[in-house]
């Protein structure tokens, strides 16, 4: 087929063995009520995705834009398995008020240096209660125009290169952030502190934009640029009094 393809339901993955479905045409793949089951793998090499898709535990989704940009427009993805983003920039959102909505409770791993960019529409969201990891790629991966809401159980992990967040509206910093040298984790744009912890031998830094502190500073996060605001006057540290806060250029 050529151009955009629509399917009422696509289910990939059998009871045993391994089943792979590859989509490589130029237009978006429009799926509804579709599932990648255990033992199944959906590979997107061109075009992109639209509609709704569930990746179950043991299922795999590979975003491998060998021809460049992949469009994730008006797309809802629930990932309980493994999403691997290896090649090609991702354009997210859509037209008018359309959005891209990702709920990740599994593993979303990045093995390249491409960017995720705003492609129009409303506020697209990435809700992470699983693991978002930059595994390989020595360059920079930017998540731009996509607000990442990291829940208390969510983990953001950088093992190689730089993972850079630039919020569309506001990123919510909860859960766990780690960077292992030479990995770098960088925050830009508007960011709201929600009790996150930062650790690792790599570098974690806020470089530009606005950081809103509600209850505490974020140990392990270097404040090297941008503006820092205390927005919880009765909740920050000691009843609103600053007991410890280090600015390294912010």
């Amino acid at each position: 087929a050529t151009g955009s393809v629509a399917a009422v339901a696509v289910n990939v993955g059998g009871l045993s063995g391994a089943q792979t479905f590859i989509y490589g045409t130029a237009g978006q793949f429009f799926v509804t009520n579709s599932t990648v089951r255990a033992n199944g793998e959906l590979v997107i090499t061109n075009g992109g995705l639209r509609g709704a898709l569930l990746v179950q535990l043991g299922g795999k989704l590979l975003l491998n834009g060998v021809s460049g940009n992949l469009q994730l427009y008006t797309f809802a993805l629930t990932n309980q398995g493994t999403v691997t983003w290896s090649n090609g920039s991702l354009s997210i959102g859509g037209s008018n008020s359309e959005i891209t909505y990702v709920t990740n409770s599994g593993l979303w791993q990045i093995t390249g240096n491409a960017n995720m960019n705003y492609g129009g529409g409303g506020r697209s969201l990435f809700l992470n209660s699983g693991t978002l990891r930059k595994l390989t790629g020595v360059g920079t991966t930017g998540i731009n125009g996509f607000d990442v809401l990291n829940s208390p159980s969510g983990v953001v992990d950088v093992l190689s290169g730089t993972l850079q967040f630039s919020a569309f509206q506001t990123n919510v910093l909860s859960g766990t952030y780690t960077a292992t040298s030479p990995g770098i984790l960088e925050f830009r744009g508007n960011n709201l502190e929600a009790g996150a912890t930062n650790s690792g031998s790599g570098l974690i830094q806020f470089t530009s934009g606005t950081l809103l502190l509600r209850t505490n500073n974020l140990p392990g996060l270097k404040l090297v640029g941008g503006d820092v605001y205390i927005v919880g006057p009765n909740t920050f540290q000691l009843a609103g009094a600053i007991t410890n806060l280090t600015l390294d250029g912010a």
Side-chain angles (χ1 to χ4, degrees), residues 132-135 156-165 177-186 202-203:
L132 171 59
R133 172 177 293 141
K134 183 168 169 63
L135 181 63
V156 177
D157 186 25
V158 183
L159 299 176
S160 179
T162 300
L163 180 58
Q164 185 181 90
F165 293 99
Y177 296 85
T178 62
T180 302
S181 183
I184 299 173
L185 178 57
E186 186 172 294
L203 180 62

Side-chain angles (χ1 to χ4, degrees), residues 61-146:
L61 171 63
L62 175 58
L63 301 174
N64 182 19
V66 294
S67 299
N69 185 52
L70 296 177
Q71 294 180 340
L72 304 181
Y73 288 173
T74 320
F75 181 51
L77 171 63
T78 300
N79 177 48
Q80 301 165 349
T82 300
V83 175
T84 301
W85 173 24
S86 60
N87 289 299
S89 293
L90 303 181
S91 181
I92 54 127
S95 301
N96 300 319
S97 61
E98 295 172 339
I99 64 170
T100 298
Y101 198 95
V102 173
T103 303
N104 179 56
S105 60
L107 171 63
W108 181 297
Q109 60 184 1
I110 303 165
T111 59
N113 301 309
N115 294 316
M116 185 182 294
N117 297 314
Y118 175 66
R123 185 193 186 197
S124 291
L125 297 174
F126 190 114
L127 280 69
N128 183 50
S129 61
T131 299
L132 171 59
R133 172 177 293 141
K134 183 168 169 63
L135 181 63
T136 58
V138 297
T140 298
T141 295
I143 298 182
N144 312 308
F146 202 156

Side-chain angles (χ1 to χ4, degrees), residues 202-224:
L203 180 62
I204 304 177
Q205 57 186 0
F206 168 66
T207 61
S208 64
T210 300
L211 176 62
L212 307 176
L213 298 178
R214 298 185 311 136
T215 60
N216 207 344
N217 64 321
L218 297 170
L221 176 64
K222 292 182 67 66
L223 307 178
V224 301

